[in-house]
Amino acid sequence: MQPFRRLEGIAAPLPMVNVDTDKIIPAHWLKTIKRTGLGVGLFETLRYREDGSENPDFVLNREPWRRARILIAGENFGCGSSREHAPWALLDFGIRCVIAPSFADIFFNNCFKNGILPIVLPRETVDALMAEAETSPEPVFTIDLERQLILRPSGNAPVRFEVDPFKRHCLLEGLDDIGLTLKKAHEIEAYEEALRREKPWLFRPAA
Amino acid sequence: MSGPRTLFEKIWDSHVIEEQEDGTCLLYIDRHLVHEVTSPQAFEGLRQSGRRVRRPDATLAVPDHNLPTTDRSKGIADETSRIQVETLQKNCAEFGIPLFDALDIRQGIVHVIGPEQGFTLPGTTIVCGDSHTSTHGAFGALAFGIGTSEVEHVLATQTLLQKRPKTMRIRVEGELPLGVTAKDVILAIIGKIGTAGGTGHVIEYAGEVVRGLSMEGRMTVCNMSIEAGARAGLVAPDDKTYAYLAGRPMAPKGALWEQAVAYWRTLPSDEGARYDREVVLDASEIEPLVTWGTSPQDVAPISGRVPDPAAETDPQRRAAMERALAYMGLEPGTPIAEIRIDTVFIGSCTNGRIEDLRAVAKIVEGRRVAPHVRALVVPGSGLVKHQAEEEGIDRILLDAGFEWREPGCSMCLAMNPDKLSPGERCASTSNRNFEGRQGKGGRTHLVSPAMAAAAAIEGRFTDVREFL
């Protein structure tokens, strides 16, 4: 995974609540057996018109937001399915940070596994950042994960954000969870041995 | 460990291998269900790192999302779907994972076959790369959906890194009125707490009504926990749970069964156990419900009307309602019972089990589907289909004008050829009414199987209680 330390980029405002994973990436894109190439399907129904041409009203089709690396959205972003294709699509488009008042749990987790930083902030703060993203001539924000700060294009006071310390550590270092867990192989084995004794019904011969 | 504990806490505590200082737990996973859509990249990751599957015996795979529901003996016509299903076959062969393939009678929706086979057991941790894994919580298991990176993590290590969620108890007290089903109960809950109401929580469903539900009904309720924002929902196991599981192919037998049941009886929450949040619903106030919008929280009673966004004070929420009504092609104030439908979909991991098909058959027996309505029944598994045929349910449905299909996820998410066309309006027993969920431009109204059956007959939404 690519480490996430400091991200400088344009932020796009998406003032919608309950943006679900079907909206982020419709189900027909889920037939892929790869992680890449999903950026073109990101927000498909919002981004394209019936004939396949770009919808000029959608924020990610307009300058400067079509170059967005940060998304600012309404509450409960990413609700719905567990599809990791949603963060894969964001990443493939170039977005590595989503700011919202709240996220759905599975999507939130999936982001961290892919080097995307989801930031939860109070609704008023999100609204203020969203307004800046919409009105600043060059809405470039800097996300500083080391200092846990968002630097704003307006020059207003930076916004401090909270992040789980372990998840922050993994993002900063670009760590692979599986590699970390496999260092605990002895502990897992010991647990399994005890489990075989205490709950033998959980083990069955391979079919 | 001191003090009374909840069902969730008992399961969680017994699965923690190690807890880090910041509270992140390494959690052991007892059961892992795998399907074709969210697993290819995980197996690819294993291959690239030279890793094996730690416990193939605790893993079970089945294709469900992509399969056509018409004759499959000649394979899958859609190339990308076919490749995805073949990729699952190859991966299972390579890594030694048991697979119920497309033509196996045991094939079905992953959340229908787990319980059906006795793979799902009380007191276990169960995961799957699918958000409706919460279904298995009906058996008193901690079951939740995970992304593909986590699928790979479980395949390689049989564990997950998780933070302990908060707990919420939802009690449904009183008696369910006639014609009100488990689906109406969960829609009522989502309507009350909202689609993010359970975020960060595990929900325990309790109370007289939940105890009174069949295992199928409990699965319907737990299934839609994720639509209330909760990754997991569970119900304490009881004699109904054990009666359902006894004799299932993968459930323990003989002395092991006795040992397991003795353990399972220790699982229900202790008297005085505390929850972070408590919600109580009065069952007598629940009516048959229909969703009018594009979020599962957008519910209205069949006797009600489409709400007016003008009454909403929060601008973002008002905008969401306006957008939903425009998408759904509905005017504020329209009586729900005047909404005409084009299509009926009976099936999905929410309502594709035998009891759901019986409920539909009971309503439509001796009646005819309205001439302008296309009505589809997709059983949740090959075994559900077989049982329904044994009971003559297929004849009743076919005689009424329904199509009787092969099992799978089908029109719940339209990854196979079963889709809505733009503007097509559907009464669906599935779980999500998101924009485009059942096909681009399709309009989904979530209802119970009985309400969907009544809508099929009338060609519009109607109060199922008039049919009883």
Side-chain angles (χ1 to χ4, degrees):
Chain A
M1 193 175 74
Q2 206 188 338
F4 186 117
R5 295 201 178 94
R6 195 181 159 91
L7 172 72
E8 192 179 318
I10 286 167
L14 189 67
M16 292 172 81
V17 295
N18 299 325
V19 173
D20 59 70
T21 49
D22 281 85
K23 202 169 272 157
I24 298 172
I25 186 86
H28 70 94
W29 288 94
L30 273 52
K31 294 181 186 184
T32 178
I33 56 172
K34 296 181 187 162
R35 289 172 195 252
T36 51
L38 291 165
V40 63
L42 179 71
F43 294 122
E44 184 179 54
T45 52
L46 300 170
R47 240 166 101 200
Y48 306 106
R49 293 189 288 207
E50 282 301 308
D51 63 359
S53 64
E54 283 187 1
N55 171 4
D57 297 332
F58 185 60
V59 65
L60 294 184
N61 290 330
R62 290 156 61 198
E63 283 296 346
W65 303 290
R66 59 186 307 134
R67 293 175 279 132
R69 305 202 64 199
I70 301 162
L71 196 64
I72 307 178
E75 62 197 25
N76 199 28
F77 189 87
C79 63
S81 97
S82 67
R83 61 187 70 164
E84 204 156 311
H85 309 71
W88 293 338
L90 288 165
L91 197 62
D92 200 54
F93 181 88
I95 289 172
R96 289 202 71 197
C97 175
V98 185
I99 302 170
S102 60
F103 291 87
D105 289 336
I106 306 180
F107 175 83
F108 188 75
N109 260 313
N110 284 343
C111 282
F112 286 102
K113 311 283 180 196
N114 292 282
I116 296 176
L117 174 64
I119 298 178
V120 178
L121 290 171
R123 164 92 187 260
E124 314 80 73
T125 314
V126 174
D127 285 350
L129 296 179
M130 194 155 352
E132 272 182 47
E134 206 161 328
T135 53
S136 304
E138 191 66 4
V140 175
F141 291 66
T142 301
I143 314 291
D144 185 336
L145 180 56
E146 252 159 355
R147 295 193 296 157
Q148 295 178 226
L149 288 177
I150 302 172
L151 311 181
R152 313 158 66 164
S154 59
N156 287 345
V159 172
R160 160 112 192 148
F161 62 88
E162 295 305 318
V163 55
D164 178 281
F166 177 65
K167 291 192 164 96
R168 173 175 171 272
H169 171 70
C170 291
L171 272 185
L172 286 172
E173 304 299 327
L175 290 179
D176 160 24
D177 274 359
I178 299 178
L180 284 178
T181 299
L182 284 174
K183 289 184 186 163
K184 307 281 180 192
H186 284 302
E187 286 82 351
I188 299 171
E189 269 161 38
Y191 180 93
E192 261 173 7
E193 258 175 53
L195 194 62
R196 271 180 204 278
R197 283 194 308 274
E198 290 159 21
K199 298 178 189 168
W201 62 86
L202 291 178
F203 294 80
R204 59 190 171 87
Chain B
M1 197 57 62
S2 62
R5 288 186 299 164
T6 65
L7 164 63
F8 159 76
E9 286 162 341
K10 293 178 192 186
I11 301 174
W12 180 273
D13 293 345
S14 68
H15 286 83
V16 174
I17 299 171
E18 194 179 81
E19 185 163 349
Q20 298 174 15
E21 270 177 27
D22 71 343
T24 303
C25 294
L26 186 63
L27 204 66
Y28 193 77
I29 302 301
D30 295 312
R31 294 283 184 262
H32 187 189
L33 290 153
V34 173
H35 64 84
E36 79 277 22
V37 178
T38 55
S39 67
Q41 297 85 352
F43 284 112
E44 186 60 23
L46 289 184
R47 253 192 302 272
Q48 283 165 358
S49 326
R51 290 170 178 148
R52 64 185 182 93
V53 174
R54 184 175 179 88
R55 280 197 59 194
D57 71 306
T59 313
L60 178 63
V62 68
D64 55 3
H65 287 61
N66 273 283
L67 295 182
T69 56
T70 47
D71 180 18
R72 295 170 186 165
S73 55
K74 292 178 194 72
I76 303 175
D78 181 280
E79 198 194 349
T80 48
S81 287
R82 182 172 50 76
I83 290 172
Q84 203 165 50
V85 171
E86 286 172 358
T87 303
L88 181 69
Q89 292 165 342
K90 282 183 206 150
N91 285 329
C92 287
E94 183 181 340
F95 290 94
I97 293 171
L99 168 76
F100 293 170
D101 218 340
L103 298 176
D104 191 320
I105 190 170
R106 298 170 299 175
Q107 181 272 336
I109 305 172
V110 67
H111 308 308
V112 174
I113 70 160
E116 193 171 77
Q117 293 297 323
F119 184 75
T120 301
L121 295 174
T124 56
T125 46
I126 304 178
V127 297
C128 173
D130 191 286
S131 61
H132 292 110
T133 307
S134 56
T135 312
H136 309 265
F139 291 81
L142 176 61
F144 53 93
I146 56 178
T148 298
S149 295
E150 290 182 314
V151 169
E152 185 180 341
H153 195 280
V154 176
L155 288 171
T157 70
Q158 207 59 34
T159 68
L160 275 178
L161 288 165
Q162 297 285 305
K163 273 273 175 74
R164 179 189 286 259
K166 292 185 183 141
T167 55
M168 181 190 297
R169 179 165 63 178
I170 300 182
R171 286 188 293 133
V172 189
E173 299 291 1
E175 204 180 326
L176 276 188
L178 183 73
V180 178
T181 68
K183 181 65 164 284
D184 302 299
V185 170
I186 187 61
L187 286 173
I189 289 170
I190 298 164
K192 184 179 171 95
I193 71 172
T195 186
T199 302
H201 291 74
V202 165
I203 299 174
E204 179 176 342
Y205 300 98
E208 229 176 313
V209 166
V210 175
R211 296 256 65 82
L213 289 176
S214 65
M215 290 313 296
E216 280 88 348
R218 293 177 189 180
M219 283 188 255
T220 299
V221 170
C222 288
N223 172 273
M224 290 186 70
S225 299
I226 187 68
E227 268 59 67
R231 277 177 90 175
L234 32 70
V235 174
D238 58 14
D239 287 341
K240 267 185 209 173
T241 317
Y242 315 140
Y244 180 99
L245 289 172
R248 300 267 169 188
M250 294 179 181
K253 309 277 183 323
L256 281 181
W257 170 260
E258 298 303 327
Q259 195 184 349
V261 172
Y263 169 68
W264 297 339
R265 288 194 192 282
T266 69
L267 289 171
S269 297
D270 300 326
E271 191 71 37
R274 297 173 69 102
Y275 298 81
D276 294 306
R277 195 177 160 199
E278 295 246 23
V279 175
V280 182
L281 268 79
D282 177 355
S284 68
E285 290 173 4
I286 305 176
E287 279 191 63
L289 296 172
V290 180
T291 64
W292 52 263
T294 53
S295 167
Q297 70 189 1
D298 299 338
V299 295
I302 180 64
S303 61
R305 289 168 186 271
V306 174
D308 189 348
E312 174 61 56
T313 49
D314 182 283
Q316 274 188 18
R317 283 166 188 267
R318 186 167 59 239
M321 282 176 83
E322 282 164 355
R323 182 182 168 88
L325 291 186
Y327 180 84
M328 293 296 289
L330 293 172
E331 292 297 325
T334 306
I336 300 291
E338 282 180 16
I339 301 173
R340 269 171 66 92
I341 54 152
D342 308 304
T343 302
V344 170
F345 172 64
I346 313 272
S348 84
C349 57
T350 313
N351 283 125
R353 283 170 285 266
I354 189 69
E355 192 178 274
D356 303 312
L357 305 189
R358 287 181 191 141
V360 173
K362 195 175 157 203
I363 301 293
V364 306
E365 184 162 21
R367 296 189 167 105
R368 287 289 303 169
V369 169
H372 71 276
V373 171
R374 163 169 80 129
L376 227 66
V377 183
V378 181
S381 73
L383 290 169
V384 167
K385 180 170 186 257
H386 178 73
Q387 187 177 350
E389 287 169 353
E390 294 277 294
E391 295 180 16
I393 289 173
D394 60 325
R395 280 307 343 152
I396 294 171
L397 297 175
L398 285 163
D399 288 347
F402 282 86
E403 295 175 44
W404 182 245
R405 297 291 191 89
E406 297 298 320
C409 299
S410 177
M411 203 190 269
C412 175
L413 86 167
M415 275 188 77
N416 76 345
D418 307 332
K419 290 179 174 60
L420 297 180
S421 309
E424 193 174 342
R425 190 179 297 284
C426 180
S428 179
T429 66
S430 56
N431 42 56
R432 289 194 178 130
N433 51 357
F434 298 157
E435 285 180 30
R437 171 78 179 180
Q438 295 192 291
K440 196 175 176 189
R443 294 165 172 165
T444 303
H445 297 270
L446 303 175
V447 286
S448 72
M451 281 288 286
I457 303 301
E458 293 294 320
R460 61 175 169 79
F461 289 110
T462 186
D463 196 331
V464 68
R465 291 171 293 192
E466 288 160 18
F467 283 70
L468 300 171

